[in-house]
Amino acid sequence: MNTKDLETIAARVASWPEAAREEAVWALLAIEERHQLPAVLDEATRRAVREGLAQAKAGNFASQAEVGAVFRKR
């Protein structure tokens, strides 16, 4: 499947009844989410990821007791 194929089906979808077009949009959104295309992270998430990477590089990991405490809370 190439870009021309997508353009062809998109042109046909435009002529479908509204309910069918809506279903097509939801299906495409679900595919996009499943493949995380594009993966968009907000700034708070980016900061958290950078902080976690820095902690890992520094060798700062949770102890067994700390991990256990987290799971006992659930």
Side-chain angles (χ1 to χ4, degrees):
M1 176 134 323
N2 58 38
T3 302
K4 181 67 176 160
D5 295 327
L6 293 171
E7 291 169 354
T8 300
I9 190 66
R12 291 198 327 246
V13 168
S15 69
W16 293 357
E18 183 177 351
R21 289 193 315 265
E22 185 175 322
E23 185 178 344
V25 168
W26 282 111
L28 290 170
L29 289 171
I31 291 167
E32 181 180 56
E33 183 177 322
R34 190 172 65 242
H35 291 277
Q36 298 178 1
L37 303 171
V40 178
L41 303 177
D42 60 30
E43 188 53 38
T45 302
R46 285 190 190 114
R47 276 193 305 271
V49 168
R50 285 192 295 268
E51 181 181 337
L53 289 171
Q55 289 174 358
K57 284 179 183 177
N60 298 329
F61 298 98
S63 68
Q64 289 286 12
E66 291 169 323
V67 172
V70 169
F71 282 102
R72 281 190 295 280
K73 287 181 182 179
R74 293 177 179 237

